[in-house]
Amino acid sequence: MSENLQTTDVAIIGAGPVGLFAVFECGMLKMRCHVIDSLAVIGGQCAALYPEKPIYDIPAYPRIDAGELVDRLSEQAAPFEPVYHLDQQVTALSREPNGRWHVTTSRGTVVEATAVIIAAGCGAFGPNRPPLAGIEDYEGISVHYLVQRREAFRDKRIVIAGGGDSAVDWALSLAEVAAKIYVVHRRPKFRAAPESADQLHRLAEGEKLELVIPYQLASLEGANGKLTAVTVADLEGNRKDLPADALLPFFGLSMNLGPIADWGLNLDHHHITVDPASSETNAKGIFAIGDIATYPGKLKLILSGFSEAAMAAHAIRALVYPDEELHWEYSTTKGLPQAAGG
Ligand SMILES: Cc1cc2nc3c(=O)[nH]c(=O)nc-3n(C[C@H](O)[C@H](O)[C@H](O)COP(=O)(O)OP(=O)(O)OC[C@H]3O[C@@H](n4cnc5c(N)ncnc54)[C@H](O)[C@@H]3O)c2cc1C
């Protein structure tokens, strides 16, 4: 038996907003959860793509920043003591002879569970890395693929590479705190929202922000993970050095359905088809919720994912407690129950 074998009621693949809410819904039905994510932080798209953007369609929050929503969901799940396995991708899912499921991660952790909830969004997140020699040495110190805290970049000289929404939005936002911003893009036209691109061009008329076009990243200068300059080159091979403390390459996050596509689940255009009444897939004991799940009329919204989490939890309870009838109660009546199981 694996040294890293851990047992629980429910293994949740994906710590995005929907996976986090599933911990709460399972907890309310006395089921313990382990949650696995390939990212080093919880929060899925909310944390990785837009932590400081306001969301307006979360019930009862007229406006809430995505990062704060993740904090609230984590707080709501905390009484049920979820076990997080972060920074590791689920690579295999197998059914054991005893009918329980084994979820295996890239770090060799094996979670054995009665049921599995796949809340994997668009798949495991990973950055699209620019092909620069030695870039790994700078990652996490001066090269970042996502911004978690704007303040971390106060008074820094930042090179932002890319021409999409993330590059332009972060250039506009970080210009408020940074010492200098260079936006490196290989063509004059930006793919970002036209109003944002216009704003960027207006900002580039001042000293704070410089557009470095048409250039591409060529190499990095620095030592021990600390950047001193980013060298860029145009198509004719003309090079120039941009003095920099940080590089933010925004070439998109690769979203890799990866091994999930090989688990024998019914798929429809890279989404897992489920029974909308229970969120169960074609494999008994495997459920899919949130962005990765599809059924007729599916709305890819956080609030739909929350409802799917509740339905999956109720269906899973019948598997975890097959001999116990559920006496329906509102949370106002029963309060927060003690989580059961291991
Ligand atoms: C810019 C932007 C703005 C948005 N605004 C809104 C809005 O206003 N309102 C709204 O309702 N929605 C909005 N959305 C969409 C919303 O963020 C998604 O619907 C939501 O994040 C889906 O949640 P999820 O938990 O299903 O998946 P995700 O948030 O995608 O999380 C899935 C997690 O699963 C992990 N994962 C996947 N596969 C594996 C694996 N094999 N092993 C380990 N981990 C894995 C991923 O790393 C990821 O962290 C917006 C999205 C973006 C990009």
Side-chain angles (χ1 to χ4, degrees):
M1 197 178 279
S2 162
E3 274 180 52
N4 288 331
L5 183 76
Q6 312 204 15
T7 58
T8 190
D9 296 318
V10 186
I12 300 176
I13 304 173
V18 176
L20 294 177
F21 192 63
V23 173
F24 172 79
E25 284 295 330
C26 288
M28 289 298 278
L29 296 172
K30 300 189 180 173
M31 298 183 292
R32 293 289 289 267
C33 299
H34 281 226
V35 187
I36 304 119
D37 204 296
S38 56
L39 284 178
V41 292
I42 61 169
Q45 293 176 49
C46 294
L49 300 181
Y50 60 110
E52 290 178 344
K53 279 197 174 164
I55 307 179
Y56 298 96
D57 56 356
I58 300 299
Y61 284 101
R63 173 196 158 126
I64 182 167
D65 283 359
E68 196 191 337
L69 176 66
V70 173
D71 292 344
R72 294 267 165 272
L73 288 165
S74 160
E75 187 185 327
Q76 197 170 18
F80 302 108
E81 298 171 4
V83 178
Y84 292 105
H85 305 274
L86 300 178
D87 207 10
Q88 48 200 302
Q89 189 180 355
V90 173
T91 49
L93 175 67
S94 60
R95 184 155 210 172
E96 295 304 293
N98 63 6
R100 286 165 64 77
W101 290 95
H102 274 193
V103 172
T104 306
T105 79
S106 49
R107 290 203 185 179
T109 306
V110 180
V111 178
E112 182 179 293
T114 308
V116 177
I117 296 180
I118 304 176
C122 331
F125 279 130
N128 284 327
R129 290 188 164 78
L132 299 175
I135 191 166
E136 312 79 41
D137 299 342
Y138 295 92
E139 286 173 353
I141 304 168
S142 25
V143 172
H144 306 274
Y145 300 101
L146 51 96
V147 176
Q148 287 195 300
R149 275 190 333 108
R150 214 165 69 125
E151 274 305 307
F153 296 93
R154 184 168 287 281
D155 300 328
K156 297 263 161 64
R157 298 162 304 170
I158 308 169
V159 174
I160 293 179
D165 280 313
S166 295
V168 173
D169 287 354
W170 280 119
L172 295 174
S173 173
L174 290 171
E176 292 169 15
V177 295
K180 174 87 185 182
I181 304 234
Y182 299 96
V183 178
V184 179
H185 188 35
R186 63 194 160 138
R187 57 174 79 95
K189 195 164 166 43
F190 285 87
R191 280 174 285 108
E195 316 81 69
S196 308
D198 290 348
Q199 230 180 312
L200 186 76
H201 283 289
R202 279 199 299 278
L203 204 57
E205 289 164 12
E207 294 286 298
K208 191 57 135 348
L209 187 143
E210 187 176 327
L211 297 179
V212 185
I213 298 172
Y215 278 88
Q216 298 192 61
L217 301 176
S219 62
L220 304 176
E221 303 293 325
N224 302 324
K226 290 205 161 183
L227 270 184
T228 50
V230 173
T231 306
V232 293
D234 67 10
L235 290 177
E236 277 84 49
N238 300 311
R239 295 166 80 91
K240 61 178 172 181
D241 289 340
L242 309 174
D245 305 300
L247 167 65
L248 306 178
F250 288 124
F251 299 125
L253 289 175
S254 64
M255 292 172 193
N256 177 13
L257 203 53
I260 296 175
D262 305 324
W263 293 343
L265 304 174
N266 289 343
L267 299 178
D268 178 8
H269 295 93
H270 305 290
H271 293 84
I272 301 172
T273 53
V274 298
D275 173 356
S278 62
S279 278
E280 195 163 22
T281 68
N282 59 303
K284 190 166 168 52
I286 305 289
F287 296 75
I289 60 176
D291 275 13
I292 199 157
T294 191
Y295 48 83
K298 162 83 181 187
L299 285 179
K300 261 197 192 186
L301 287 174
I302 294 168
L303 68 86
S304 321
F306 288 167
S307 158
E308 291 154 16
M311 286 196 287
H314 277 79
I316 292 170
R317 186 189 173 280
L319 303 176
V320 173
Y321 297 109
D323 304 322
E324 273 184 36
E325 208 178 312
L326 175 67
H327 297 287
W328 173 266
E329 284 176 312
Y330 289 117
S331 68
T332 38
T333 316
K334 66 178 170 186
L336 293 183
Q338 287 294 310

